[in-house]
Amino acid sequence: MKIVNTVAELKASIAAFKQQNKTIGLVPTMGALHQGHASLVSRSVKENDVTVVSVFVNPTQFNDKNDLANYPRTLEADCQLLESLGATMVFAPTAEEIYPEPDTRQFSYPPTDTVMEGAFRPGHFNGVCQIVSKLFMFVEPDRGYFGEKDFQQIAVIRAMVKDLKFHLQIVPCPIVREADGLAMSSRNTLLTAQERQIAPAIYKALRRSVNLQQTHTVEETKQAVINEINAVEGLEVQYYEIVDAETLVSITDWNQAEHVQGCITVFCGHTPIRLIDNINYK
Ligand code: AMP
């Protein structure tokens, strides 16, 4: 497995792979890798000749300086895991390498980037589009792998791909969870033992609510989830929205959309750690 830190080295390797007509899968990550990331990488290794994994804590997508400073960084362990999974190449650049000049590009794909995370983390999806568009331009992958843990992110990236006419397939991958249901996340390592113990209540409430759709309205179901989670000391729901899975617009009637997703963000503990999760209703 090759580890490169510069765009020039990355592009030179990509050019060689393309010359050999090899298919390329790209897995963008911010490192501190876990089994959720591993599932994306394994899928790419299965479906492509070459798998490129980027490990880059992208500063432009953080709207909270402390969150950026505290974000876990474990490049050595990440590379060991990626090698064991059969990745071809790791791209681990510095921020200066990616942004030699401030990125002034503005991306706007309403409503996908204005609701939920877009509303509560201003500028977040603009930063995501900045880094992902650069990675797509550098790597020119045949397939890009993204986790459904960041359900809204996939919708925003699909909108960007359509807008900028990137020629690749976006491959959504299911959420990988801990045994107790907590969605795996790099930020989980920041939870105290006590916080880690209460965090699974989020997915428990989501799962329980799936059955409610037979007997309850969308609004009642939404409130049931919020109340159940807020009843746990140390957890506080920032938002819970039940949305059309394609447009991400909130629905008021179960029949309003063909596919329906519930998307949640919860503050856990004193710091607090911001945890996101989502569930499919239909
Ligand atoms: P991140 O390093 O958090 O930016 O995540 C990199 C990619 O891994 C994104 O596409 C995430 O959606 C995906 N990912 C993160 N956690 C999980 C998980 N628990 N299950 C599936 N995919 C995940």
Side-chain angles (χ1 to χ4, degrees), residues 57-63 68 99 103 123-124 126-128 130-131:
V57 182
N58 174 40
T60 71
Q61 72 189 70
F62 284 81
N63 53 329
L68 173 62
Y99 302 111
D103 195 334
H124 168 66
N126 198 55
V128 167
Q130 288 177 340
I131 183 60

Side-chain angles (χ1 to χ4, degrees), residues 27-31 33-37 39-40 61 71 145-151 153-154 173-177 183-187:
V27 186
T29 82
M30 297 204 298
L33 303 181
H34 49 65
Q35 289 306 308
H37 299 108
S39 72
L40 274 58
Q61 72 189 70
Y71 201 84
Y145 294 80
F146 295 88
E148 287 178 337
K149 157 115 189 314
D150 298 279
F151 192 83
Q153 173 171 274
I154 295 180
C173 302
I175 303 178
V176 177
R177 299 181 179 280
M184 287 191 184
S185 164
S186 304
R187 287 187 179 88

Side-chain angles (χ1 to χ4, degrees), residues 36-60:
H37 299 108
S39 72
L40 274 58
V41 174
S42 295
R43 176 118 182 237
S44 173
V45 168
K46 220 178 282 170
E47 296 178 351
N48 302 278
D49 300 322
V50 165
T51 291
V52 178
V53 181
S54 59
V55 175
F56 177 60
V57 182
N58 174 40
T60 71

Side-chain angles (χ1 to χ4, degrees), residues 71-82:
Y71 201 84
R73 290 162 170 88
T74 60
L75 185 59
E76 209 169 306
D78 292 348
C79 289
Q80 274 172 21
L81 174 66
L82 292 173

Side-chain angles (χ1 to χ4, degrees), residues 220-254:
E220 287 165 351
T221 305
K222 209 174 121 171
Q223 281 310 320
V225 168
I226 294 172
N227 294 342
E228 183 172 339
I229 295 174
N230 282 345
V232 179
E233 202 184 320
L235 296 183
E236 194 196 332
V237 176
Q238 186 177 36
Y239 67 79
Y240 185 52
E241 295 293 341
I242 297 178
V243 302
D244 179 322
E246 269 82 49
T247 63
L248 300 186
V249 173
S250 293
I251 60 164
T252 50
D253 189 295
W254 293 113

Side-chain angles (χ1 to χ4, degrees), residues 262-278:
C263 299
I264 197 159
T265 292
V266 178
F267 290 118
C268 181
H270 292 297
T271 311
I273 305 300
R274 202 171 172 275
L275 301 174
I276 68 170
D277 202 344
N278 64 83

